[in-house]
Amino acid sequence: MNLPNKLTLFRIFLIPVFILVMLFNIPSKYLIACVIFIVASITDAMDGHIARKHNLITDFGKFMDPLADKMLVSSAFICLVAQNKIAAWIVIVIIAREFVISGFRLVASDSGVVIAASYWGKFKTNFQMFAIILLMLNLGENFPAYAGGIHIVEQILVYIALILTIVSLVDYLAKNIDVLKEGGNEK
C-alpha cells in the first residue's frame, strides 16, 4: 500500500474519532474536533498531490479518496446539525448532491467512463471545509463582543458553500449528461 492510500485510510480512521469528540460533552470539544478535522482535511490535499507527483494513482485511491472526503464532510455537517450550528435543510442539500454525483459516477463506470473531479467540485469541497472549521471554532462564543459579525461571516460562508454545491452539481451534470443518455440506450 502506497503513501497516498495510507493517508486516505488515516483520514477514514479519523472520522469516527472526530464524531466521538463532537458528540460527547468533553472540555474543549470543538477545538479538539477542529484540529482533527483540519488534520483530516490536510491529508486530503496531501494524498492527491503525492499520488499525482509520484505517479502513485491507484484504483483504490480513485475510489476511496473521494469517498473519504464525502464521509468526512458529511459527518462533520451532520454533527453540526446535532449541535444546532447549521440548518438541517442546508446539510440535506449538500448530502443529496453527493448521492446524485455518486450515482452518476456509478452509471458512468458501468459504461466504462471515468469522470474526473471538476474545478467547481474541488472549490465546493474547500468552501465546505472552511465553513465547517469556522462553525467548529465557536468564535462568536469566544469573542462575544464580535458575535454578531462573526455569525454573519459564518452564514455567508455556509451559503457560499451551498451555492457552490449546487453550481458544481449543475456543472457536473451538464458536462456529463451524455453518460446518462448512453447508459439509457444500452438497457
Side-chain angles (χ1 to χ4, degrees), residues 13-31:
F13 167 78
L14 288 176
I15 294 168
V17 176
F18 167 82
I19 292 169
L20 288 172
V21 170
M22 281 294 286
L23 296 182
F24 287 102
N25 195 12
I26 61 172
S28 303
K29 78 175 184 177
Y30 290 115
L31 180 59

Side-chain angles (χ1 to χ4, degrees), residues 140-156:
E141 292 177 20
N142 294 324
F143 301 100
Y146 304 104
I150 291 168
H151 180 70
I152 290 169
V153 171
E154 288 171 345
Q155 291 305 303
I156 289 170

Side-chain angles (χ1 to χ4, degrees), residues 56-166:
L56 297 173
I57 298 169
T58 64
D59 288 338
F60 177 85
K62 286 180 191 176
F63 175 73
M64 289 306 293
D65 180 58
L67 182 61
D69 296 343
K70 289 172 184 17
M71 290 170 29
L72 176 65
V73 170
S74 296
S75 297
F77 275 131
I78 291 168
C79 288
L80 289 168
V81 167
Q83 305 290 325
N84 294 316
K85 296 202 170 283
I86 189 169
W89 73 267
I90 294 172
V91 174
I92 290 168
V93 170
I94 289 169
I95 293 173
R97 181 258 185 217
E98 300 307 335
F99 276 107
V100 169
I101 297 302
S102 295
F104 202 75
R105 280 196 164 131
L106 282 174
V107 170
S109 70
D110 280 349
S111 302
V113 176
V114 176
I115 301 174
S118 72
Y119 171 79
W120 286 109
K122 292 177 183 181
F123 203 47
K124 172 250 343 160
T125 300
N126 287 331
F127 262 89
Q128 288 176 349
M129 288 178 171
F130 289 136
I132 289 166
I133 291 166
L134 190 58
L135 290 170
M136 283 191 299
L137 285 175
N138 268 343
L139 295 175
E141 292 177 20
N142 294 324
F143 301 100
Y146 304 104
I150 291 168
H151 180 70
I152 290 169
V153 171
E154 288 171 345
Q155 291 305 303
I156 289 170
L157 199 53
V158 165
Y159 281 108
I160 290 171
L162 177 64
I163 290 165
L164 289 172
T165 298
I166 295 166

